[in-house]
Each structure stands twice: as structure tokens, then as C-alpha cells.
Amino acid sequence: MSFWRVLLSILCPPLAVLDKGCGSILIVFLLWLCGWVPGVIAALVILNNPKS
């Protein structure tokens, strides 16, 4: 996980997970609409997952 990806996930979480698939983008976007913190946490978890 690069510094720029972490910075992007803090500023705008849905943009950070664009290459992870439609499901990840949708989940992060919905959580981001519910609140900034859940969106950031979800984006960081998805980016930190080694299987994706």
C-alpha cells in the first residue's frame, strides 16, 4: 500500500478503491455517505487485503 493510495483513501475513499472492483467501490461509497470515518476505514481495510 503506497503513501499516495493511503492519502487518497483519507481524502476520498471511493477513488482509492477504483481498481478493486464494482462491489468494493459501492460498499465504500455507501459507507462514505453514512459518514467519513466508516468510508475511510473500509477503504483502508480493502486496500490492506493481500488477496485482492
Side-chain angles (χ1 to χ4, degrees):
M1 193 166 36
S2 69
F3 170 76
W4 298 110
R5 189 64 69 109
V6 172
L7 185 64
L8 188 60
S9 68
I10 291 171
L11 297 176
C12 186
L15 292 178
V17 295
L18 275 178
D19 63 338
K20 299 298 182 183
C22 184
S24 297
I25 296 169
L26 185 63
I27 290 170
V28 171
F29 183 74
L30 290 175
L31 286 171
W32 190 47
L33 286 178
C34 292
W36 178 74
V37 173
V40 171
I41 292 172
L44 289 173
V45 167
I46 290 171
L47 290 175
N48 202 25
N49 188 3
K51 294 181 181 179
S52 298

